[in-house]
Amino acid sequence: MKATLTLVFCAVLSGCFVPLIRAGPSTDDQRRRAYELLELSDAQNQKEHPLAIKSAQAALALFQSVNDLDGIAKAHHSLGLYHMAQNALVESERHFDLALQFWRQKSNLPKQAEALTYLGYVAGRKGEWLNGVSYFTQAHNLINDQSEPLLMGRIATGMAYLFNESGLPESGRQQYQRAMEYFRQAKRDRSVNSMIMLIGYSDFLLQDYSAALTHLQQALATFESWPNPDEVSLNLAECHEYLGQVYIAMAQYDRALEHLQPLLSVYKNSDNPKDVALVEAMLGRIYQQQGAISRARKSHLEASRIFRKVDDRVNDA
């Protein structure tokens, strides 16, 4: 027994045994895994925003561990998008601002313009019109119209939103048309169809219901025949929501219900509480017009409860 132990001890000292301690993942492996998580989060964001946020946060941690500045900035950008989708605007703004800082360190002008554009979107959602215009102007000044049609389309889309929300839908409609042309140049078919939908929404704000229905139904048909349905599920829901609003304005309440009632499950499953509240409020209005007072009261109370919850989350941020 002693002889056996002596032989084992000598073998260890002489390096005959292969160490059992495994090396940790390499920097390249961690970076590769981080990009895989970021790509996964983009797919998850089509239906499950909270899951997308968790994946992007994991990607961010890996990028930080290997000091990959490009990856860090991209992860912050993705987190800004996912939080904006949930109307968590304070968190969204924080991540876009961090992305902007990293892109400034890298002197990447197109990426700076992209971050500024999304900061403009957040400002618009917060009702900060002047800040929104300032961000969009800064973004526009960093890029060339001809070489960056995708960014130009996004800037025009943001300006259109500001015009619509501030009571100038005619100007908003013009900006959506400009954006549509830029997206065509960039060969972004999904964005082109989204602009057709938003032109229809602008028509609705202008009380041109016939034109609104034409554009919205055109966009709806395209989204319904999309090759990858999961990719456009929320675009499709948005289109149904706008059609519901048009039919409410036309007092065609049964048609409005056809478009709005299925949206509750869509928005709940994707964890979009503010959108759930908006749909509940519209349903309450329809039920009231139809004389279904009990159902109307239930929808209005639920909408009020969710709005308060969303406001509390914003105030706690």
Side-chain angles (χ1 to χ4, degrees), residues 230-250:
D230 286 346
E231 188 177 80
V232 296
S233 59
L234 292 179
N235 300 100
L236 194 59
E238 186 178 6
C239 202
H240 279 295
E241 184 178 332
Y242 294 151
L243 281 163
Q245 291 185 52
V246 174
Y247 284 121
I248 290 173
M250 298 172 68

Side-chain angles (χ1 to χ4, degrees), residues 289-304:
Q289 291 294 328
Q290 292 180 327
I293 304 304
S294 178
R295 296 184 71 183
R297 184 174 183 276
K298 182 179 178 181
S299 288
H300 284 310
L301 287 173
E302 180 64 6
S304 179

Side-chain angles (χ1 to χ4, degrees), residues 162-225:
L162 293 181
F163 282 130
N164 276 1
E165 292 299 304
S166 57
L168 297 169
E170 187 170 349
S171 297
R173 191 182 192 282
Q174 292 172 358
Q175 289 294 324
Y176 281 133
Q177 287 177 317
R178 288 185 64 237
M180 182 169 64
E181 293 308 315
Y182 282 123
F183 289 135
R184 279 189 176 134
Q185 291 176 38
K187 296 180 170 52
R188 293 299 182 102
D189 294 340
R190 178 180 169 188
S191 295
V192 169
N193 200 52
S194 292
M195 293 308 102
I196 293 172
M197 174 183 71
L198 291 168
I199 287 169
Y201 179 65
S202 299
D203 289 330
F204 159 70
L205 294 177
L206 289 164
Q207 299 184 359
D208 187 346
Y209 302 138
S210 176
L213 288 175
T214 297
H215 286 111
L216 290 171
Q217 287 168 348
Q218 178 186 347
L220 181 67
T222 301
F223 283 137
E224 286 179 332
S225 61

Side-chain angles (χ1 to χ4, degrees), residues 120 123-124 128-139 158-159 162-163:
E128 299 172 355
W129 316 127
L130 292 180
N131 284 344
V133 171
S134 175
Y135 283 128
F136 292 136
T137 302
Q138 291 178 63
M159 289 297 296
L162 293 181
F163 282 130

